[in-house]
Amino acid sequence: MLPETLELATVRAAYASGKCTPTALITALYPQFVAARDVFLYLAPLDELLRRCAELESQPEAERGSLWGVPFGIKDNVDIVGMPTTAACPAFSYTPEKNAAAVDALLAAGGIGVGKTNMDQFAAGLVGTRTPSPDCPRSPFDFRFISGGSSSGSGVAVGAGLLSFALGTDTAGSGRVPAGLCGCVGVKPTVGSVSTVGVVPAAASLDCLTVFTANVSDGAEVMRVMRSGSAGAADVWRRPPPQLAPEAMPPADGFRFAVPTLEQLDWSGPGGEALAAACASEFESATARLEAAGGRRVADFDFGPLMAVAAMLYGTSFVAERFSGIRAFLEKGMPAAAATEKGSLERQSAVVSDERLLPVTRHIIAGAGKFTATDVYDHMAQMAVLRARALDELSRVDLLLVPTALTHWTVAEVAEEEAAETPSWSRNAKLGRFTNFVNLLDMCGIAVPSGLVSYDSAVLSENASEAERRRAAHLAATGPTRVTLPFGVTLITKAWRDEWLWGVAAKMERLAGLKCGPVGHGVTPVAAAAEEAQ
């Protein structure tokens, strides 16, 4: 008897009953893995997975780990032995000799790593469309909409019910946005609390490993296992947790929280007034829910410094860390003369013509060539001022409640601006409005499902924008004009309050009453026709 869902408790119950085994589960799921061609960049052969199952089944029950027989996915910038790591760039591909430390811990606990999930190339993106694969991972609710990135394949794998959990990474929101757009939970821990050895760096000083799960409890449990993984002296970005007195933690009830202002909550987009109103209503409901969970709203909180910090991530010399993380690969691909004769800034700018990378990825990373070392120090000083202002404001609250994403873009809408000869990415930037500042300000977060937004794109007002009309025509030509999509929120707090945060998120989850993905939200997904999916 196969489990009805892949939540940890359900899988364990199926195994405990004796009516299901890891072999039976993987055998049943494998055709779905194969069919999800947009989700996996590499799928382990069935015979390899069945050998892993047999190995687990031979273990005495007393020796079985907490994740025994649980299938999971690994974002393709995280190493697992036996599978290539490409970071969604085929020219970058290598075969790792060791597992990432966190993956080692998951395997030791009995997990079954089934494959490498799709992603935005080099983790540079929040849209989920920046991949060299024939098709990008799409929303499990409606194939016409994006799944979010950069951990797109992992978000879809969990939202669609293919896996119990999947690993992501998060530098600027990549472990949260896909959760919001796919209707699942995304846990972004404190930076440095989980080893990042074996992870292709996006911005090494800010990177953290994340996990997508069907519920908060599963996310907390898997994250605890991941935290146990260690790479010893190689863990240069790892930080020991501080010794916090119990009274240093916020209270379970009566904690203070803040939400963005109406001006910052810019719901506008091609969905028009109907979708904007639906999003606004759902966020108001989430705010009321957090109050019911024990929160007290602080009305005059200033998000301005946080927004300014967020803008610095890609708008200043900090973008140079994107070049630094894969510098050896980028410079190895340059013509010998260019690599030796050009100055450092010229070499960085030259990435814009590196055809091994997708055009939009090239343009983002080549932005490093605009800044000098002096600029870095200027921007560090600017960041210090903004951080001080932000931390002063944050001292007034225990928690922030923000929308995980302000809107849903279609795949076509993202392609429209990113496929231009000179790509732009304003739509991607809007997705990062409430995510980009989190790691820069040393905070942790968790994204949870919160509601549904639905509207009929065919119902247009007289003053509808051209973008609204283009979306309406696109949706009418590809399926139903009424769309129903998930609405998610993210809870954010100071570093090392992860466990407390997960407790608050669990209360929000119970009050929302939603489960994972379209099935858990009571939605019939809109899927592409079979011939279109080919």
Side-chain angles (χ1 to χ4, degrees):
M1 180 185 68
L2 297 175
E4 291 185 4
T5 72
L6 294 178
E7 296 178 9
L8 295 185
T10 310
V11 172
R12 287 170 181 154
Y15 288 158
S17 71
K19 297 178 181 178
C20 185
T21 63
T23 294
L25 181 60
I26 293 298
T27 300
L29 290 174
Y30 200 77
Q32 298 177 47
F33 299 160
V34 173
R37 293 169 304 198
D38 58 330
V39 172
F40 294 100
L41 288 177
Y42 178 87
L43 182 60
L46 179 58
D47 58 348
E48 288 184 13
L49 295 179
L50 294 182
R51 279 197 294 272
R52 170 65 171 162
C53 292
E55 171 190 309
L56 293 170
E57 290 162 7
S58 69
Q59 293 177 343
E61 287 192 24
E63 297 178 10
R64 295 174 180 177
S66 61
L67 299 177
W68 187 82
V70 175
F72 71 97
I74 307 96
K75 185 177 178 178
D76 194 29
N77 59 347
V78 182
D79 289 346
I80 180 170
V81 173
M83 302 184 196
T85 297
T86 75
C89 178
F92 180 76
S93 181
Y94 65 90
T95 302
E97 296 180 356
K98 295 181 179 180
N99 295 318
V103 172
D104 248 347
L106 296 170
L107 294 173
I112 303 174
V114 305
K116 306 299 289 292
T117 55
N118 210 336
M119 59 180 284
D120 280 336
Q121 192 173 70
F122 289 117
L126 290 173
V127 287
T129 62
R130 299 170 180 175
T131 170
S133 61
D135 196 9
C136 64
R138 294 164 179 262
S139 167
F141 286 75
D142 190 323
F143 80 100
R144 297 168 295 183
F145 287 81
I146 64 170
S147 59
S150 63
S151 310
S152 51
S154 290
V156 174
V158 174
L162 294 172
L163 297 171
S164 295
F165 66 92
L167 303 189
T169 60
D170 191 307
T171 307
S174 297
R176 291 162 276 160
V177 170
L181 300 188
C182 294
C184 62
V185 170
V187 183
K188 192 220 80 69
T190 295
V191 174
S193 63
V194 177
S195 172
T196 52
V197 173
V199 178
V200 177
S205 65
L206 300 175
D207 293 340
C208 61
L209 266 170
T210 68
V211 67
F212 298 92
T213 56
N215 56 56
V216 173
S217 176
D218 287 4
E221 180 172 350
V222 174
M223 188 55 68
R224 293 183 190 114
V225 174
M226 291 168 64
R227 286 195 306 215
S228 71
S230 173
D235 260 326
V236 297
W237 294 107
R238 196 79 184 269
R239 299 188 293 166
Q243 297 298 315
L244 296 176
E247 58 269 22
M249 285 293 157
D253 292 301
F255 56 85
R256 302 159 301 162
F257 76 94
V259 300
T261 64
L262 291 177
E263 292 75 21
Q264 291 158 345
L265 291 169
D266 175 14
W267 307 109
S268 64
E273 294 179 2
L275 183 56
C279 290
S281 175
E282 284 296 337
F283 190 64
E284 288 177 9
S285 296
T287 302
R289 205 172 290 131
L290 189 53
E291 291 175 329
R296 178 169 55 84
R297 180 177 173 181
V298 175
D300 58 345
F301 184 89
D302 181 10
F303 266 80
L306 282 69
M307 299 293 96
V309 166
M312 290 193 72
L313 186 61
Y314 284 102
T316 69
S317 58
F318 294 168
V319 76
E321 196 168 11
R322 294 278 179 172
F323 183 95
S324 172
I326 53 172
R327 181 174 185 169
F329 165 73
L330 294 173
E331 293 190 341
K332 185 178 180 181
M334 291 180 183
T340 56
E341 296 173 7
K342 288 185 176 182
S344 177
L345 294 183
E346 290 179 293
R347 290 199 299 273
Q348 292 174 52
S349 297
V351 173
V352 78
S353 59
D354 190 335
E355 294 187 356
R356 298 172 301 167
L357 279 62
L358 297 172
V360 67
T361 314
R362 297 180 223 162
H363 278 78
I364 291 169
I365 297 176
K370 296 185 294 186
F371 303 104
T372 66
T374 304
D375 292 328
V376 175
Y377 283 98
D378 286 345
H379 294 148
M380 287 174 63
Q382 182 182 344
M383 175 61 75
V385 173
L386 289 173
R387 184 182 287 116
R389 289 175 53 201
L391 293 180
D392 182 59
E393 200 65 22
L394 287 166
S395 69
R396 303 174 51 236
V397 298
D398 303 305
L399 185 70
L400 300 179
L401 174 69
V402 299
T404 303
L406 282 166
T407 193
H408 290 263
W409 303 110
T410 66
V411 173
E413 286 160 356
V414 172
E416 179 181 36
E417 66 173 8
E418 297 196 356
E421 184 174 347
T422 301
S424 60
W425 44 86
S426 64
R427 288 164 182 169
N428 182 98
K430 186 165 185 172
L431 293 174
R433 176 167 300 181
F434 299 117
T435 64
N436 286 359
F437 64 81
V438 175
N439 287 356
L440 285 167
L441 293 178
D442 198 16
M443 306 180 80
C444 58
I446 181 168
V448 295
S450 188
L452 286 167
V453 289
S454 182
Y455 85 108
D456 192 337
S457 63
V459 180
L460 293 168
S461 63
E462 289 185 6
N463 60 345
S465 67
E466 182 58 31
E468 289 176 63
R469 295 182 187 282
R470 285 200 303 270
R471 173 181 283 193
H474 169 61
L475 296 180
T478 53
T481 58
R482 173 163 286 280
V483 296
T484 300
L485 298 162
F487 181 85
V489 295
T490 297
L491 307 174
I492 306 167
T493 190
K494 296 176 183 177
W496 306 111
R497 291 179 174 178
D498 304 68
E499 295 278 351
W500 175 83
L501 182 69
W502 301 340
V504 177
K507 291 181 181 179
M508 288 284 280
E509 180 181 58
R510 286 192 294 271
L511 290 169
L514 295 170
K515 298 292 185 180
C516 182
V519 173
H521 284 63
V523 173
T524 300
V526 177
E531 60 272 16
E532 184 175 346
Q534 296 300 318

